[in-house]
Amino acid sequence: MLGKGVVGGGGGTKAPKPSFVSYVRPEEIHTNNKEVTEKEVTLHLLPGEQLLCEASTVMKYIQEDSCQRGICGKLVCTDFKIAFLGDDESALDTDESQFKNKVIGENDITLPCVDQIYGVFDEKKKVLFGQLKKYPEKLIIHCKDLRVFHFCLRYTKEEEVKRIVSGIIHHTQAPKLLKRLFLFSYATAAQNSTATDAKAHAAMFDTLKDWCWELERTKGSVKYKAVRVNEAYKVSERLPACLVVPISLPEEDIPRFHGHGIPIWCWSCHNGCALMKMSALPKEQDDSVLQTQKSFLDGIYKTIHRPPYEIVKTEDLSSNFLSLQEIQTAYSKFKQLFLIDNSTEFWDTDIKWFSLLESSGWLDIIRRCLKKAIEMTECLEVQHMNVLLLEETASDLCCLFSSLVQVMMDPHCRTRFGFQSLIQKEWIMGGHCFLDRCNHLRQSDKEEVPVFLLFLDCVWQLVHQYPPAFEFTETYLTVLSDSLYIPIFSTFFFNSPHQKDTTMGRASQDAQSKPLNLLTVWDWSVQFEPKAQTLLRNPLYVEKPKVDKGQRKGMRLKHQRQLSLPLTQSKSSPKRGFFREETDHLIKNLLGKRISKLINSSDELQDSFREFYDSWHSKPIDYHGVLLPHIEGPEIKVWAQRYLRWIPEAQILGGGRVATMSKLLEMMEEVQSLQEEIAERPLRQALLPAEAPSPLRSSARMSSLFPFALLQRNSSKPVLPTSGWKALEDEEDWAKREDEFVDLGDV
């Protein structure tokens, strides 16, 4: 059984106290070792970054070690990050770190990435906030990327403890102003540095040209037009300067209710149907105002709903779907499953994993989102109906579903350029409040909701089920989720284009004020070297074949099926049962009743939806057509790479999907090498043995959570048993069963 653990507000399972007590302080050990002290790691600061406070003789505990061994070093806090500088950190910086981030080190935590801070007082863990009367002997930091750091302050000077603990609490938990973010200090200091062209990485949709290009690409220019009616944000501060509306809509109607009640175009289907969104009109009590609003909406509705030629289906996401509070509550429970204090806690809570996972409700929310997106796809693709998404602000669930439907229906959005452009169009220009939803300013916990992370998790389900259909990898999605909390990129640190433009000085009429140029997250060279960036691109992506129109019908499926054979998974059983035929009988007996709720959810699908869903899954997959995810039973999985990557016990050395992928890449490299030799040399030379594969492709050195966990350095249990490891058999029996593994991807 795959093991996970839970950390509550006050505790989790306590690790056994070590019986040996050392009376030698760590600094005394290092004083006697001059060679170690001379190798102390220096703090690397970014442009504009300033050191705020520091503490020496801090011990960073090894997370998976219940005996509380660790590395001695210095803990520092800057206006950008919390960093631990270990005395022997240089020893860990080897060539094995193939996916090193150039901005954030292994022991760095950006200030926006800090989730909760705990202090340990007399073996009791308490949440730290505000001014402290007593300072802890141990500091525990939970991060939003699910890392957990343990720092022992027992050997640190009292004044330094007060300074570092107070500094960390203040700079990570206290409310702050927007211009106090490190984003602006970095932009000011790096003003003279060379900036790359953002449009080389994505369409930014900050000009009318970008919107017109998107209209032409989707053949939407026949019925829709791009307008500049919101220039200088004189109509609405939540809408972009340029937007696309129906051609028949008079432009003078747009400013009437400050952009509310206006159908805004998102995307056009190949059959002419469109996906649109609309923000609700403000609620009024006055009868005359209500009558005016009703007349206005009637006119708008007649513009887009003209049967039998134009039929619109309205999806009211504010009242007929999940609330933002439900999403936040589910994720708060879900993330606790991965915030593990030590190895002992991991194994003690392992037997509860499936019940805890189900009770969180996070996977069920993903399933409901995918199901709703499939329903919208069916309206557009089969019923030839326009779909209008309605939400109070049209900036949360509207962003999620408009993006998800396009990923499922438009192969352009499954390329890296297309996906990045999609996020720019629907999320950045769509006015999603990243500043509030990620709580970057710490001004209101009630506003924090992981809507964008929910979207990435939904996309990951598609990437996992149909790898050849996507140009990017799950590693790309993982580092994109991490980039939410790196405040040198402007992409995810504003609530709207208006807020960004006014803050950066672009809306100012003062000719002497020079606007700051901010980095976008899409320039991956800022974070990763070219060698590491190769892990963001899927080498098994099936590109659309470029053939003549006369040959297209006959060659397309054959070409794609041939290329996708190595990665094509076996089709799910047409039966509605949860388990496939090859599933282990022991697991089936243990878990069958526990997850019966997920099985029965498919019975609630509407007849038309079920017919469309079953019909699509019965046909060969066209990786450049519509993609419908499997949503029944175990098909909705845990995004293992993101959520489990920091837990050593959850890794499988040389196993998992990574091992399969690495073998396929080795074969592809060998075939490519042979093809090149055949083309350049005589045939007899081409038949010589191929060169040995690169060490990067060696599955024996990889973890199942590669590239974030290349090697499992200190784990005491490298093998994960397939059933309850403590409850069902003696520990001695597990030593004889080292060949039993469970694939993290099948959870």
Side-chain angles (χ1 to χ4, degrees):
M1 182 182 296
L2 180 63
K4 319 290 176 301
V6 181
V7 174
T13 306
K14 291 183 180 179
K17 278 189 175 182
S19 58
F20 175 76
V21 179
S22 173
Y23 296 95
V24 181
R25 293 162 61 90
E27 64 268 29
E28 295 178 19
I29 299 174
H30 289 283
T31 302
N32 296 329
N33 191 342
K34 295 181 180 179
E35 184 178 349
V36 175
T37 56
E38 290 174 358
K39 290 184 179 179
E40 184 174 342
V41 180
T42 58
L43 176 65
H44 298 285
L45 299 176
L46 294 176
E49 186 178 4
Q50 296 181 351
L51 177 65
L52 301 176
C53 52
E54 60 182 315
S56 303
T57 326
V58 176
M59 180 172 287
K60 175 180 174 288
Y61 286 141
I62 298 173
Q63 181 180 344
E64 69 271 19
D65 187 5
S66 60
C67 296
Q68 297 188 339
R69 294 184 295 108
I71 303 170
C72 191
K74 182 186 295 184
L75 185 62
V76 302
C77 180
T78 73
D79 55 350
F80 170 62
K81 64 178 180 286
I82 301 166
F84 177 77
L85 309 176
D87 292 342
D88 60 347
E89 190 172 308
S90 58
L92 300 177
D93 190 16
T94 64
D95 291 337
E96 294 173 352
S97 301
Q98 302 290 350
F99 200 61
K100 184 177 180 180
N101 193 307
K102 296 193 294 184
V103 178
I104 304 298
E106 182 181 355
N107 292 319
D108 294 346
I109 314 167
T110 62
L111 300 185
C113 191
V114 174
D115 191 11
Q116 284 282 7
I117 301 175
Y118 298 91
V120 177
F121 305 85
D122 300 325
E123 302 298 326
K124 293 182 180 179
K125 190 171 76 172
K126 299 180 181 179
V127 178
L128 300 182
F129 56 89
Q131 295 291 332
L132 300 182
K133 296 181 180 179
K134 183 180 178 181
Y135 289 86
E137 60 187 33
K138 183 178 178 182
L139 195 66
I140 302 175
I141 301 178
H142 287 183
C143 305
K144 292 183 179 180
D145 61 3
L146 304 180
R147 289 181 295 170
V148 178
F149 288 87
H150 297 251
F151 300 109
C152 176
L153 307 173
R154 187 177 301 168
Y155 310 109
T156 310
K157 294 178 181 179
E158 184 177 352
E159 286 302 316
E160 291 186 359
V161 171
K162 291 181 180 180
R163 219 167 19 242
I164 192 67
V165 173
S166 300
I168 289 175
I169 292 175
H170 174 74
H171 292 289
T172 61
Q173 304 295 319
K176 56 177 65 70
L177 299 174
L178 175 59
K179 287 198 172 183
R180 299 291 293 176
L181 289 174
F182 179 72
L183 177 72
F184 300 95
S185 301
Y186 180 81
T188 303
Q191 185 74 354
N192 296 324
S193 61
T194 303
T196 59
D197 182 11
K199 290 188 179 295
H201 309 285
M204 305 305 290
F205 292 97
D206 53 356
T207 64
L208 194 67
K209 182 180 179 181
D210 289 338
W211 289 101
C212 292
W213 175 84
E214 181 71 357
L215 277 171
E216 290 297 325
R217 187 188 69 82
T218 60
K219 307 293 191 294
S221 56
V222 177
K223 300 179 181 178
Y224 299 90
K225 61 183 178 183
V227 295
R228 290 196 181 104
V229 69
N230 196 36
E231 276 188 320
Y233 305 101
K234 57 188 177 183
V235 173
S236 173
E237 294 182 355
R238 61 179 182 80
L239 293 175
C242 304
L243 57 150
V244 178
V245 296
I247 286 181
S248 56
L249 180 71
E251 289 190 25
E252 57 268 20
D253 284 351
I254 299 177
R256 191 167 177 184
F257 291 98
H258 303 288
H260 290 276
I262 298 299
I264 297 176
W265 176 88
C266 299
W267 178 77
S268 287
C269 185
H270 62 87
N271 57 23
C273 296
L275 181 66
M276 296 172 285
K277 62 183 177 182
M278 176 192 291
S279 58
L281 289 174
K283 296 180 180 179
E284 294 287 348
Q285 300 296 329
D286 187 84
D287 290 339
S288 61
V289 177
L290 287 174
Q291 187 62 38
T292 303
Q293 289 184 350
K294 185 177 183 302
S295 301
F296 176 76
L297 288 178
D298 287 343
I300 294 295
Y301 192 66
K302 290 177 182 178
T303 302
I304 59 178
H305 183 76
R306 295 174 294 178
Y309 306 106
E310 295 282 341
I311 303 176
V312 175
K313 180 181 180 182
T314 303
E315 291 283 357
D316 190 349
L317 302 174
S318 295
S319 59
N320 298 331
F321 198 65
L322 290 164
S323 68
L324 297 181
Q325 184 59 47
E326 287 178 287
I327 296 173
Q328 174 62 17
T329 301
Y331 184 71
S332 296
K333 294 179 181 178
F334 178 72
K335 71 180 180 181
Q336 294 299 322
L337 306 181
F338 310 98
L339 296 169
I340 307 298
D341 269 352
N342 52 56
S343 179
T344 303
E345 182 179 350
F346 176 92
W347 292 105
D348 284 348
T349 57
D350 173 70
I351 200 68
K352 303 176 184 178
W353 161 250
F354 284 101
S355 60
L356 293 170
L357 180 62
E358 183 180 355
S359 63
S360 73
W362 181 250
L363 295 187
D364 190 54
I365 285 178
I366 294 173
R367 178 181 288 102
R368 291 176 63 181
C369 289
L370 291 173
K371 176 179 175 292
K372 177 64 72 174
I374 295 174
E375 291 175 358
M376 298 176 187
T377 301
E378 191 249 348
C379 288
L380 292 163
E381 181 74 14
V382 179
Q383 299 185 28
H384 293 195
M385 296 171 62
N386 294 328
V387 175
L388 178 65
L389 306 177
L390 181 63
E391 193 181 14
E392 185 175 349
T393 61
S395 60
D396 287 305
L397 295 179
C398 277
C399 298
L400 188 153
F401 284 110
S402 63
S403 303
L404 195 53
V405 168
Q406 291 178 62
V407 170
M408 291 166 55
M409 297 191 69
D410 191 346
H412 173 73
C413 297
R414 302 196 282 267
T415 65
R416 194 161 76 169
F417 181 89
F419 187 72
Q420 294 172 173
S421 301
L422 174 70
I423 293 175
Q424 280 291 143
K425 180 181 69 168
E426 299 297 339
W427 293 86
I428 311 303
M429 291 298 158
H432 181 66
C433 301
F434 282 101
L435 203 61
D436 295 339
R437 294 294 177 245
C438 297
N439 201 16
H440 289 319
L441 299 182
R442 304 285 177 175
Q443 293 182 350
S444 175
D445 291 341
K446 294 180 180 179
E447 296 292 325
E448 184 173 3
V449 185
V451 183
F452 185 68
L453 180 59
L454 175 59
F455 164 67
L456 294 182
D457 210 330
C458 290
V459 173
W460 179 85
Q461 304 293 332
L462 286 160
V463 171
H464 179 79
Q465 293 181 22
Y466 307 108
F470 292 85
E471 188 183 21
F472 50 86
T473 62
E474 68 167 341
T475 303
Y476 170 88
L477 294 175
T478 301
V479 297
L480 182 57
S481 70
D482 292 341
S483 301
L484 282 168
Y485 313 110
I486 303 180
I488 66 170
F489 304 110
S490 64
T491 311
F492 303 125
F493 278 84
F494 293 99
N495 282 337
S496 65
H498 167 264
Q499 185 185 49
K500 178 181 177 181
D501 287 351
T502 53
T503 306
M504 304 314 296
R506 289 195 179 95
S508 174
Q509 300 300 319
D510 185 1
Q512 295 181 350
S513 61
K514 184 179 180 181
L516 297 176
N517 290 317
L518 298 178
L519 295 175
T520 69
V521 74
W522 311 127
D523 184 4
W524 295 107
S525 63
V526 176
Q527 296 190 63
F528 303 105
E529 297 291 349
K531 192 173 185 180
Q533 289 184 56
T534 59
L535 296 173
L536 307 181
R537 187 176 296 276
N538 180 13
L540 300 178
Y541 169 64
V542 180
E543 293 189 20
K544 190 172 183 179
K546 297 180 180 180
V547 295
D548 296 334
K549 291 183 178 180
Q551 300 175 330
R552 189 181 300 272
K553 186 175 181 181
M555 294 183 62
R556 188 174 184 182
L557 284 177
K558 180 179 178 182
H559 175 78
Q560 292 166 359
R561 288 172 66 85
Q562 286 177 343
L563 287 181
S564 63
L565 277 177
L567 271 184
T568 302
Q569 301 175 353
S570 58
K571 281 284 184 179
S572 298
S573 172
K575 300 177 182 179
R576 294 187 183 181
F578 183 96
F579 299 99
R580 298 177 181 177
E581 296 178 359
E582 65 272 17
T583 308
D584 184 89
H585 293 290
L586 178 59
I587 300 292
K588 187 187 299 184
N589 294 333
L590 283 173
L591 308 177
K593 296 181 180 178
R594 175 84 46 92
I595 46 187
S596 59
K597 176 183 176 183
L598 303 184
I599 307 172
N600 298 329
S601 64
S602 63
D603 296 333
E604 302 172 1
L605 301 177
Q606 300 92 341
D607 291 339
S608 62
F609 171 86
R610 168 56 65 182
E611 182 180 353
F612 173 62
Y613 181 82
D614 289 342
S615 174
W616 188 90
H617 283 289
S618 66
K619 299 175 183 177
I621 299 174
D622 179 2
Y623 291 115
H624 295 286
V626 174
L627 284 185
L628 299 187
H630 292 279
I631 60 173
E632 297 167 310
E635 301 293 353
I636 305 300
K637 304 180 188 298
V638 172
W639 184 358
Q641 189 191 69
R642 184 182 193 275
Y643 300 121
L644 295 172
R645 54 187 159 153
W646 313 122
I647 305 177
E649 291 79 9
Q651 301 173 26
I652 305 173
L653 294 181
R657 292 172 59 88
V658 172
T660 304
M661 178 70 75
S662 64
K663 287 296 182 183
L664 288 170
L665 295 182
E666 287 178 21
M667 293 172 60
M668 290 179 63
E669 287 179 350
E670 188 173 354
V671 170
Q672 183 178 2
S673 176
L674 288 172
Q675 288 176 336
E676 292 174 355
E677 289 189 24
I678 291 174
E680 297 176 2
R681 303 178 183 179
L683 181 60
R684 58 182 182 83
Q685 293 181 349
L687 295 177
L688 293 175
E691 295 182 1
S694 168
L696 270 176
R697 305 300 188 199
S698 176
S699 59
R701 298 180 64 245
M702 290 184 184
S703 157
S704 56
L705 302 178
F706 177 86
F708 298 97
L710 183 63
L711 292 177
Q712 189 176 19
R713 296 185 179 118
N714 300 296
S715 178
S716 58
K717 292 184 177 67
V719 177
L720 296 182
T722 57
S723 57
W725 70 280
K726 259 187 178 179
L728 302 182
E729 296 188 34
D730 295 332
E731 293 185 29
E732 296 178 357
D733 296 334
W734 291 116
K736 303 175 183 178
R737 299 181 58 183
E738 294 182 353
D739 58 333
E740 292 195 9
F741 298 89
V742 60
D743 186 353
L744 295 177
D746 292 335
V747 176

